[in-house]
Amino acid sequence: MTGMIVKTVLAAAVIGALVACQGGSALPGTHTSSNPSGVQPYKGPSSLTFTWSSPMLEGATYMGPATIPGKILLNVQPQLQNEEGLLEYATSTATPDAPNYRRWLTPEEIGERYGASQSAIDADMKYFASYGLSAGTWPQHLMIAVMGSQSEMENAFGTKFGVWQIATPTGPVEVYGPEPGEPPHFMSAIPVMAVMGLVGFHPQHTYIERPADTQGYGYTAPIIRNGFDYIGPINAGDNGSGINVGIIGTGPIVTGSDGDVAGYAQVSGISSTDVGTVVLKDVEPQTGDSAFCPNDSDCEDPYPAGLQTPPPATAPCSSTVNPDGPGIVTTDPACNEEDGEAQLDTEMTAGMAPGAAIDFYLAYNAEDCAPQYFDCASGWAGKSTPVGIEGIYLVDDEVQQAIADDLVDVLSLSYGAGEQEELNFYFNSSGEGPGPDEFAALASEGVTVFVASGDNGAYECDSDGEEYGEKCVSYPASDPSVIGVGGVNAPFTSSGQLQPGTQVTAWASNTTYGGDGYDDNSSGTGGGISLYFSPQAWQSASAIGAKKREVPDIALLADPNTGPMIVEDWAFLSHSEDYFEIGGTSAAAPLSAAMFADSLSACKGNTTCSHTTSGSHGYRWGLAAASAFYSVAESEANFGKQAECAGGSSGAFYDVCAGENDTNSGGAIQPGYPAAPGYDMDTGLGVPFGGFLIDALFSYCACGTESIP
């Protein structure tokens, strides 16, 4: 690859043994065939039609024909050989005593067994090339990136693009999408299941929140380390060393001695060597085979001015964040300011796993226009040429790159949208589709994925343009192959102890330490019941007895009124004005990923914890971490008892029993779910504590729940 830059709340006692144990190529680009002259013709299922995000246009108003400058990037799901098999394999890797328990696959093995066949990829590539489109895939063969002009896309996908006005919580926005009439279709049948991006509206957004008290500076690294017992493992050398933590990027970062992580260390009063090293990972193309290129020049550079190394971050300038949409970042190279989310993600992981390598994936498409505003000539940017997009609009390309690299052991995602908004975009009503497939692939590689559960309480969906309507959970936190992370309020002293007379509570709008309806702090931790996904066995067969997937699984610091400090624009501003308090489950996800990275560094090389049949990645846990968390929590003597809530925790999880995830909508409280002893849909199993979690995982391995060959 080119373009790289380079509780405790201290618990009363250390947990002992558990009472009971229960049971290739990394770059997308124009397709290359190893033997183009010997490619076998595709003989499997083909179709003229495909699933696309048509529900996004339900209730929208058609405004007229669209004019889209630059190039459009779509993600196409080819016909997979065995989609159900991939989902089943991911689950089997987390099932103790199952033949595939913690046996990981490479991206090439995923492609050969479950992804699209080589002949299907070839058929799709030839079709797109015949219409002048550039296309590329990754070795797992789960997705094809397709790029081209408006006319090329219209010809290939059998449609014309029009302008649609869509209602959002902050007002209507205009986007492009297929005109009314005949649905999009191919001109000849090819092996494709779904297409993402025909509607230029991306519902996903970050989960970062500003506090009501803007004068606060937030918890520094030592406070968080002491409060949640990161400090014990760190002092013992289990600090993430030898572990790669991946972050799916949303916006630009500055690395090195002038970067925000270095500033975070300085403001926190810790050594510059006491934070993890952040490396920017590009999502970029490679040259391809002329058999699948529209012309020779495209073979030499299959994405001309398309997916490239992102431009450097700049000092704060005129806002590049769409003020009327869900936080999509557009990128003018002269004005590419930091978004705060990327800084929160990198600083929490680097600060709590100081020995880890932090791999920050960031995709950039210089040729695309701001997708919320189809026409750059009359849109907010005031430009007649594309200003480019990066980060959150291209997260699927970043996830596919992470799968292909097979480098990270833990992955953090701090974005999402309501499940109903994602229907037929990421998944269908049966819970299958491009989203579940890519997270199942990560689980099959042994990657443990932590995802923010949202900041709108029990109401993560939009309803007729109003922020609070029907209850629903956020995706991808509701995906069965990930660990959803909710948020808490933790009123610590400056030494990381709970303030006298307080307790950890679920972050919500009407709790003593929760949100207050000010400046996006109007609700709290996302949680509830999925409409589309079935629960894994550790939720359905356990004391929880879930009928559908419930969210979240665990929780960590998120309330912006007791939030972490972050540093932003360290390279550009006076060092007295570039750090402040922040919150949201966007903080909880990377904090969880860092804590698990510390656990993995303890596990790596330990014969009790490492799985010897998984080769060099035997220390990985993947989705097995989720099943272990539930077994550990439910086997603790006081789990689910009110006494545990009143007296703090002496185990791996602090059982949160106060608070709720109601929302504050203009002063009106919308009821959510209450925190309670045991599992609840605010904080899941509760708050993990670093050193105790490591002890519990070693006990879990040693007592026979896991079969070590």
Side-chain angles (χ1 to χ4, degrees), residues 470-540:
E470 59 184 323
K471 288 181 178 179
C472 77
V473 296
S474 176
Y475 186 86
S478 63
D479 194 284
S481 295
V482 310
I483 296 175
V485 187
V488 298
N489 172 285
F492 290 146
T493 67
S494 60
S495 61
Q497 303 286 330
L498 272 178
Q499 295 178 13
T502 68
Q503 60 181 304
V504 176
T505 62
W507 167 40
S509 63
N510 60 343
T511 54
T512 303
Y513 303 100
D516 51 16
Y518 177 84
D519 192 19
D520 287 332
N521 191 18
S522 57
S523 54
T525 177
I529 305 172
S530 171
L531 293 180
Y532 306 104
F533 297 105
S534 298
Q536 296 283 17
W538 44 92
Q539 281 197 333
S540 63

Side-chain angles (χ1 to χ4, degrees), residues 4 243-245 281 359 361 401-410 445 447 617 619-620:
M4 287 188 185
I243 303 301
N244 286 73
V245 180
K281 310 290 286 187
D359 298 309
Y361 285 89
Q401 188 71 57
I403 298 170
D405 288 349
D406 195 15
L407 175 66
V408 302
D409 308 302
V410 189
E445 289 183 340
V447 182
H617 293 152
Y619 58 91
R620 288 183 179 176

Side-chain angles (χ1 to χ4, degrees), residues 477-703:
S478 63
D479 194 284
S481 295
V482 310
I483 296 175
V485 187
V488 298
N489 172 285
F492 290 146
T493 67
S494 60
S495 61
Q497 303 286 330
L498 272 178
Q499 295 178 13
T502 68
Q503 60 181 304
V504 176
T505 62
W507 167 40
S509 63
N510 60 343
T511 54
T512 303
Y513 303 100
D516 51 16
Y518 177 84
D519 192 19
D520 287 332
N521 191 18
S522 57
S523 54
T525 177
I529 305 172
S530 171
L531 293 180
Y532 306 104
F533 297 105
S534 298
Q536 296 283 17
W538 44 92
Q539 281 197 333
S540 63
S542 66
I544 299 169
K547 304 302 181 184
K548 284 287 188 179
R549 167 81 162 110
E550 296 185 7
V551 180
D553 297 296
I554 61 173
L556 260 168
L557 190 66
D559 189 335
N561 286 334
T562 63
M565 176 206 72
I566 69 163
V567 170
E568 185 177 348
D569 296 313
W570 184 257
F572 310 110
L573 299 180
S574 163
H575 293 173
S576 64
E577 58 181 340
D578 49 11
Y579 55 93
F580 48 88
E581 188 172 26
I582 206 71
T585 54
S586 279
L591 285 170
S592 300
M595 186 179 291
F596 197 68
D598 295 341
S599 300
L600 287 183
S601 65
C603 182
K604 194 171 186 178
N606 185 291
T607 57
T608 300
C609 187
S610 192
H611 212 281
T612 58
T613 60
S614 291
S616 61
H617 293 152
Y619 58 91
R620 288 183 179 176
W621 280 70
L623 189 56
S627 63
F629 287 178
Y630 279 80
S631 290
V632 164
E634 292 179 358
S635 61
E636 291 184 341
N638 290 325
F639 184 75
K641 298 179 181 180
Q642 189 66 43
E644 165 79 354
C645 305
S649 175
S650 60
F653 293 94
Y654 180 108
D655 192 357
V656 180
C657 303
E660 72 295 305
N661 62 354
D662 301 352
T663 58
N664 186 333
S665 181
I669 300 299
Q670 306 290 322
Y673 301 97
Y679 178 90
D680 58 65
M681 288 179 284
D682 300 303
T683 62
L685 300 170
V687 178
F689 278 21
F692 301 138
L693 181 63
I694 292 175
D695 290 342
L697 291 175
F698 277 121
S699 297
Y700 175 83
C701 293
C703 66

